[in-house]
Amino acid sequence: MRILLVEDDTGASRFIRKGLQEEGYIVDVAFDGEEGLHLATSQTYDLIILDIMLPEMSGFEALKGTRKKGIMTPAIFLTARDDKEDVVHGLELGADDYLIKPFSFPELLARIKAVLRRGQKDIELSKLSVGDLTLNIINRTARREDKDIELSAKEFSLLEYLMRNAGQILTRTMILEQVWGYDFDTSSNIIDVHINRLRMKIDKDFPSKIIHTIKGVGYVLKDER
């Protein structure tokens, strides 16, 4: 799942981003309201987390602009002020929840999971399937035929990206940007290592293979039965 974090405090944004990435989420960060609004309306996200007090444009204005464009991505406000008027105003603008600073990361994580569950009006929308491989986005579980597959957080994120783009050839650069982030070392062989781990888990014990290498380009996930 892909999350947009709009937070001008570099220390807080680094802490939240790192924690969410360790949980397997793909996280983009904006440091002011205008950048947040631009990303929220030009990219596709499963959740937006945004501070209220932001440079250039407040979190209120950024969310209002997002909703005006018909984008109803679930949103959680972060606020340093325990002001009921702020909370009510945020909810009226279309926020799904709010969290008062300072907060613990486990509390933020619990709020995120609750909002994402509420946002799934149709449980089938939380599942991705390619052939006999199924990925449950909310429960973060994987299954092929009758076998449960244990995945690390990063393996889950990689498989989710591959499945969301099933049938499309994904270059290593595309995978790095979407799963590891734009600032990751492009010379690393981290993708190949994780692809090999995924193959051992979802392809090794099955006659039909789902992950395919496109030599010199990247990878594609497809069912060829």
Side-chain angles (χ1 to χ4, degrees):
M1 282 194 168
R2 192 174 183 187
I3 293 176
L4 173 60
L5 172 64
V6 190
E7 170 62 75
D8 63 315
D9 185 314
T10 54
S13 63
R14 190 181 303 115
F15 168 74
I16 295 170
R17 183 185 188 190
K18 183 174 183 294
L20 292 177
Q21 287 177 330
E22 288 175 351
E23 292 293 323
Y25 295 101
I26 300 165
V27 185
D28 292 342
V29 178
F31 295 98
D32 63 63
E34 285 187 355
E35 184 185 8
L37 176 59
H38 170 71
L39 287 175
T41 55
S42 62
Q43 306 288 331
T44 300
Y45 294 98
D46 297 288
L47 178 71
I48 302 171
I49 303 171
L50 68 168
D51 196 3
I52 291 177
M53 304 299 292
L54 292 167
E56 307 301 334
M57 176 187 291
S58 73
F60 288 147
E61 293 173 299
L63 184 63
K64 185 176 180 180
T66 301
R67 297 299 189 240
K68 273 189 175 180
K69 295 207 172 191
I71 298 169
M72 305 308 293
T73 306
I76 297 175
F77 270 127
L78 305 180
T79 176
R81 300 183 301 182
D82 186 6
D83 188 326
K84 294 194 184 306
E85 288 186 5
D86 278 354
V87 171
V88 170
H89 185 46
L91 295 175
E92 287 177 342
L93 288 173
D96 296 84
D97 202 350
Y98 67 93
L99 198 54
I100 297 170
K101 298 178 179 179
F103 53 82
S104 68
F105 183 76
E107 182 180 7
L108 173 61
L109 194 60
R111 299 290 186 95
I112 289 171
K113 290 179 177 178
V115 167
L116 290 174
R117 280 195 300 270
R118 289 201 302 268
Q120 294 294 337
K121 294 182 176 63
D122 182 348
I123 191 62
E124 291 305 314
L125 295 177
S126 69
K127 294 181 181 178
L128 298 174
S129 296
V130 176
D132 54 6
L133 175 64
T134 302
L135 201 65
N136 188 306
I137 305 302
I138 300 300
N139 296 333
R140 304 187 70 74
T141 56
R143 187 177 183 86
R144 188 165 184 192
E145 290 186 356
D146 58 351
K147 179 182 178 182
D148 292 324
I149 300 168
E150 280 194 28
L151 299 173
S152 68
K154 190 58 69 177
E155 288 167 354
F156 189 95
S157 293
L158 175 56
L159 184 56
E160 179 186 351
Y161 180 57
L162 291 171
M163 292 183 73
R164 285 189 184 277
N165 295 277
Q168 299 181 41
I169 297 173
L170 303 174
T171 67
R172 287 174 172 79
T173 299
M174 292 166 66
I175 296 171
L176 275 175
E177 289 178 350
Q178 294 298 318
V179 181
W180 275 268
Y182 292 94
D183 55 354
F184 200 86
D185 181 5
T186 57
S187 65
S188 170
N189 70 339
I190 193 72
I191 293 175
D192 306 288
V193 170
H194 278 75
I195 287 288
N196 286 335
R197 288 176 180 170
L198 277 182
R199 280 183 165 141
M200 292 295 290
K201 293 182 177 183
I202 70 173
D203 273 349
K204 181 184 176 185
D205 297 328
F206 300 89
S208 62
K209 308 308 176 188
I210 294 181
I211 300 176
H212 306 274
T213 300
I214 308 301
K215 192 172 181 181
V217 181
Y219 300 95
V220 61
L221 188 143
K222 59 182 177 179
D223 180 22
E224 293 190 330
R225 290 178 300 174

